[in-house]
Amino acid sequence: MSAKKKDLLSSAMKRTSEWISSQEVSSDVTVHVGEASFSLHKFPLLSKCGFIKKLVSESNKDSDSTVINITDIPGGSEAFELAAKFCYGINFDMSTENIAMLRCAAEHLEMTEEHSVENLVVRAESYLDEVALKSLSSSITVLHKSEELLPIAERVKLVSRCIDAIAYMTCQESQFCSPSSSNSGNNEVVVQQQSKQPVVDWWAEDLTVLRIDLFQRVLIAMMARGFKQYGLGPVLMLYAQKSLRGLEIFGKGMKKIEPKQEHEKRVILETIVSLLPREKNAMSVSFLSMLLRAAIFLETTVACRLDLEKRMGLQLGQAVLDDLLIPSYSFTGDHSLFDTDTVQRILMNYLEFEVEGVRLSNNGVDLAGDMERVGKLLENYMAEIASDRNVSLQKFIGLAELIPEQSRVTEDGMYRAVDIYLKAHPNMSDVERKKVCSLMDCQKLSREACAHAAQNDRLPVQTIVQVLYYEQQRLRGEVTNDSDSPAPPPPPPAAVLPPKLSSYTDELSKLKRENQDLKLELLKMKMKLKEFEKESEKKSSSSTISTNPSSPISTASMGKPPLPRKSFINSVSKKLGKLNPFGITPYNGRGRTKPPKDRRHSIS
């Protein structure tokens, strides 16, 4: 059929449809679409709809009125109403909100060029190519509307064209797209610098309306066109915050979510984790912690949870305490408040990464500082969980033993955690308390911690004796002011001390008194030294030596100034030498001394 004849036929059918509408000709066909019913005329419908023509030919021809049921048309009654208006020549607006529905309905009703010139399929395709797919926001809207029109939207390639258009335009708009080979090297440097500070693009919020499977396909298409995976972080963060909203991941209790909704959110979360960038620092630790809480709550696959734990371990130096306080979603009431097993695996991942980093990197300063931050973080975490009575001794000790020794500059944090744990578990045996106290090194306690520990009744007596011993050694070093002297021998471990509490109590009281005396002697010595220095300055500045008997320093003493100081220090040293709380006999060159008899009953 020539183009001229097609135009004549189209104009004739249009005039006929207008005459039918104006003369109010009685309908001869009734179309049921879902719950809606349309009383129409055969001529305008059959002239443009091949699908309706088949249904009418198969129906009863003897009856005056034909009834047709259409149950599976894309878009339902709304789409059919627009298609019927098109058949009657009634004007209506095509928009990004209804174009996907019109295109799929036209395909289902077979409104092609075989039945009419410039039929609905051609008109819809023209609008898509010239209007809808020319802007990013319109393409996203059409793709979002296509979610309810599957699988026919896939068959007409509406979904794939929208995804390709979105991927192309986002790469044009975004700073994270790799420059083409024709660009200069300076442009590559600019893009690399910009990628270090991710900024949420304006279109990222629009993508959050998409269903998770189409959202995933869009991101994959973007990366195929050169979009940097590092730049996907802000987009994934926005999508996760919107799609996982409403989960009770910060408290403990029964799940308040329907099984169907739980399954949908589980699929969303697993897909988001699979799309996370592999670069370090691409995602914040707080966001990774939120995803991990949701993964535990929704009971995702083990691979999903382990992936998040490894990512957190890689950036553990940037974490804060709240990031590690992951609730235990056991829902039985028999377990601890916090998931210590997960934190333990995160710490093990961190140690594994740090060992590999030390082997491959020469920058040990940054690694040491990062490890020190992690040590303080874990000590604060242990102090937080120590108050939970359901935390077992094995978990507490196991977690403390994983904290690197070099990350603990002082033991004050560990002492705080141990003290809180002992307070929360008052029914522990002496052996268990000794095990807990063995986690800290008493030599690294500060003065304030030593003063607190010396009066702490919750600590075992052996630990208090150790604290006092090291405090005496510290005071001895300050008195003698001898930095080159060898370090004092460490006291015997608390585990091998004889369990004679009465003797320990007496020895403890004696040590406390001697410590106080030692501090007074040290103070007196400092005061005398200051007086001596003042008098020395006066004597050296004067031309004659004063012979006044009331003078604190005689002429004989001026001739030998070091003697009073030396004799005083010797007296203090002799006093300190008597403080031997552990019965250690110094080495005299004749061989090893025999251990005291009470050590035969020690616990080893």
Side-chain angles (χ1 to χ4, degrees):
M1 186 181 297
S2 63
K4 185 175 181 180
K5 289 184 178 180
K6 286 183 178 181
D7 293 339
L8 291 174
L9 181 60
S10 176
S11 60
M13 288 189 297
K14 182 177 181 181
R15 289 194 301 271
T16 304
S17 299
E18 292 175 352
W19 178 81
I20 292 174
S21 300
S22 62
Q23 297 297 323
E24 296 183 358
V25 178
S26 60
S27 64
D28 54 0
V29 60
T30 301
V31 182
H32 296 286
V33 182
E35 297 180 356
S37 179
F38 300 89
S39 297
L40 304 172
H41 305 86
K42 291 181 181 179
F43 178 76
L45 293 179
L46 300 182
S47 62
K48 294 188 177 182
C49 299
F51 180 74
I52 294 180
K53 185 184 293 185
K54 292 178 183 178
L55 295 179
V56 170
S57 63
E58 296 172 358
S59 62
N60 187 7
K61 299 180 181 180
D62 298 334
S63 60
D64 296 335
S65 179
T66 304
V67 179
I68 299 174
N69 291 314
I70 302 177
T71 57
D72 54 351
I73 181 173
S77 59
E78 182 182 358
F80 181 79
E81 182 179 358
L82 294 178
K85 285 183 178 181
F86 181 83
C87 294
Y88 279 89
I90 302 174
N91 293 329
F92 64 90
D93 294 332
M94 283 187 179
S95 65
T96 56
E97 298 291 334
N98 61 20
I99 187 60
M101 177 177 60
L102 279 174
R103 177 62 184 89
C104 294
E107 186 73 18
H108 183 80
L109 295 174
E110 300 179 14
M111 302 177 70
T112 61
E113 293 296 289
E114 298 178 1
H115 303 92
S116 177
V117 180
E118 292 187 0
N119 212 341
L120 186 56
V121 170
V122 175
R123 298 285 294 274
E125 286 290 339
S126 299
Y127 184 85
L128 284 170
D129 295 336
E130 297 174 6
V131 180
L133 299 182
K134 290 297 184 180
S135 69
L136 182 55
S137 58
S138 299
S139 301
I140 295 175
T141 301
V142 175
L143 181 59
H144 177 52
K145 296 296 181 180
S146 301
E147 296 173 356
E148 302 175 355
L149 304 172
L150 299 174
I152 192 170
E154 290 279 10
R155 189 166 71 243
V156 299
K157 298 182 179 180
L158 182 60
V159 173
S160 59
R161 283 187 293 169
C162 289
I163 290 175
D164 189 62
I166 293 171
Y168 173 76
M169 285 182 279
T170 51
C171 289
Q172 295 294 321
E173 294 280 348
S174 179
Q175 59 176 329
F176 298 110
C177 186
S178 299
S180 60
S181 57
S182 61
N183 292 342
S184 62
N186 294 332
N187 291 335
E188 295 181 0
V189 175
V190 172
V191 171
Q192 290 176 1
Q193 291 176 351
Q194 290 177 345
S195 65
K196 293 179 181 180
Q197 297 179 352
V199 179
V200 181
D201 289 296
W202 62 268
W203 46 262
E205 184 70 26
D206 295 342
L207 289 179
T208 59
V209 302
L210 298 178
R211 205 169 64 183
I212 184 62
D213 54 340
L214 297 181
F215 177 76
Q216 181 183 21
R217 290 174 60 180
V218 168
L219 296 191
I220 293 175
M222 289 166 56
M223 289 187 289
R225 284 188 172 271
F227 195 90
K228 291 181 178 295
Q229 191 179 16
Y230 181 89
L232 296 181
V235 185
L236 291 170
M237 187 178 301
L238 279 176
Y239 192 90
Q241 290 174 349
K242 186 173 183 179
S243 58
L244 299 177
R245 188 178 300 161
L247 291 179
E248 297 291 338
I249 60 175
F250 296 99
K252 186 173 181 179
M254 299 300 296
K255 287 185 178 180
K256 299 178 182 179
I257 185 173
E258 297 295 332
K260 181 180 179 181
Q261 186 182 9
E262 181 181 6
H263 174 72
E264 293 175 355
K265 292 188 179 295
R266 184 185 301 117
V267 173
I268 291 173
L269 180 56
E270 292 174 355
T271 305
I272 290 175
V273 173
S274 67
L275 293 172
L276 290 177
R278 290 294 171 186
E279 291 87 354
K280 185 178 180 180
N281 302 326
M283 311 300 299
S284 65
V285 183
S286 299
F287 177 67
L288 294 174
S289 176
M290 187 270 289
L291 292 182
L292 183 57
R293 294 166 192 255
I296 298 173
F297 180 83
L298 295 173
E299 301 180 30
T300 59
T301 60
V302 176
C304 176
R305 281 175 277 178
L306 292 179
D307 188 12
L308 290 172
E309 290 173 2
K310 287 183 179 180
R311 292 175 184 272
M312 285 191 65
L314 186 63
Q315 301 175 217
L316 189 58
Q318 306 167 11
V320 295
L321 180 59
D322 289 340
D323 298 332
L324 298 184
L325 296 178
I326 302 173
S328 178
Y329 300 108
S330 59
F331 305 107
T332 60
D334 298 332
H335 296 275
S336 58
L337 295 175
F338 300 106
D339 193 345
T340 56
D341 294 334
T342 298
V343 175
Q344 188 169 354
R345 289 192 297 269
I346 292 174
L347 180 57
M348 293 176 66
N349 287 321
Y350 167 78
L351 295 176
E352 180 181 349
F353 289 132
E354 287 301 311
V355 170
E356 187 69 17
V358 171
R359 188 177 65 84
L360 298 177
S361 175
N362 295 325
N363 193 358
V365 178
D366 295 340
L367 293 176
D370 188 72
M371 188 167 291
E372 184 177 345
R373 288 192 297 271
V374 171
K376 292 181 179 178
L377 173 66
L378 267 297
E379 288 176 348
N380 292 332
Y381 175 78
M382 293 192 62
E384 190 71 25
I385 67 171
S387 59
D388 184 7
R389 296 186 178 183
N390 293 321
V391 176
S392 64
L393 179 63
Q394 291 74 16
K395 285 187 177 182
F396 189 80
I397 294 178
L399 188 61
E401 290 177 344
L402 286 177
I403 302 178
E405 188 71 24
Q406 59 271 27
S407 68
R408 291 152 61 176
V409 180
T410 65
E411 291 290 317
D412 291 7
M414 182 61 66
Y415 168 68
R416 175 170 168 261
V418 168
D419 184 39
I420 295 175
Y421 189 83
L422 293 177
K423 184 177 181 180
H425 301 77
N427 298 325
M428 295 176 60
S429 63
D430 292 339
V431 176
E432 291 175 337
R433 288 195 299 157
K434 292 175 185 177
K435 288 182 179 180
V436 174
C437 293
S438 65
L439 298 174
M440 60 180 179
D441 185 0
C442 298
Q443 284 183 290
K444 293 184 179 181
L445 291 177
S446 65
R447 287 186 176 275
E448 294 77 9
C450 285
H452 186 277
Q455 301 177 1
N456 193 344
D457 296 335
R458 289 184 289 270
L459 298 179
V461 178
Q462 296 91 331
T463 304
I464 299 178
V465 171
Q466 279 188 313
V467 171
L468 292 173
Y469 175 82
Y470 286 122
E471 185 180 7
Q472 284 185 344
Q473 297 298 334
R474 187 185 294 117
L475 291 173
R476 184 195 299 270
E478 292 182 1
V479 171
T480 57
N481 197 19
D482 187 7
S483 59
D484 298 330
S485 61
V496 300
L497 290 175
K500 297 180 180 179
L501 297 182
S502 59
S503 60
Y504 282 139
T505 304
D506 298 338
E507 190 69 25
L508 200 57
S509 302
K510 181 180 178 181
L511 285 173
K512 288 182 178 180
R513 290 193 301 269
E514 292 178 346
N515 273 343
Q516 296 296 329
D517 296 341
L518 187 59
K519 290 179 181 179
L520 291 175
E521 292 290 342
L522 180 61
L523 183 60
K524 292 179 181 179
M525 184 194 74
K526 290 181 179 179
M527 293 175 65
K528 289 185 177 182
L529 287 177
K530 287 182 180 179
E531 293 178 359
F532 175 76
E533 290 173 356
K534 291 180 181 179
E535 293 298 329
S536 298
E537 292 176 359
K538 292 179 180 180
K539 295 297 182 180
S540 59
S541 60
S542 60
S543 58
T544 60
I545 302 176
S546 174
T547 57
N548 187 359
S550 63
S551 176
I553 304 176
S554 64
T555 56
S557 63
M558 289 296 297
K560 299 178 181 180
L563 290 180
R565 182 181 178 186
K566 182 177 180 182
S567 60
F568 176 76
I569 293 177
N570 289 337
S571 63
V572 175
S573 299
K574 290 179 181 180
K575 185 175 183 61
L576 288 173
K578 298 178 182 180
L579 304 179
N580 193 6
F582 300 101
I584 302 176
T585 306
Y587 180 74
N588 54 11
R590 300 177 184 176
R592 296 186 177 180
T593 59
K594 296 178 67 176
K597 295 181 179 181
D598 54 358
R599 289 191 59 183
R600 300 175 185 176
H601 306 284
S602 62
I603 301 175
S604 57

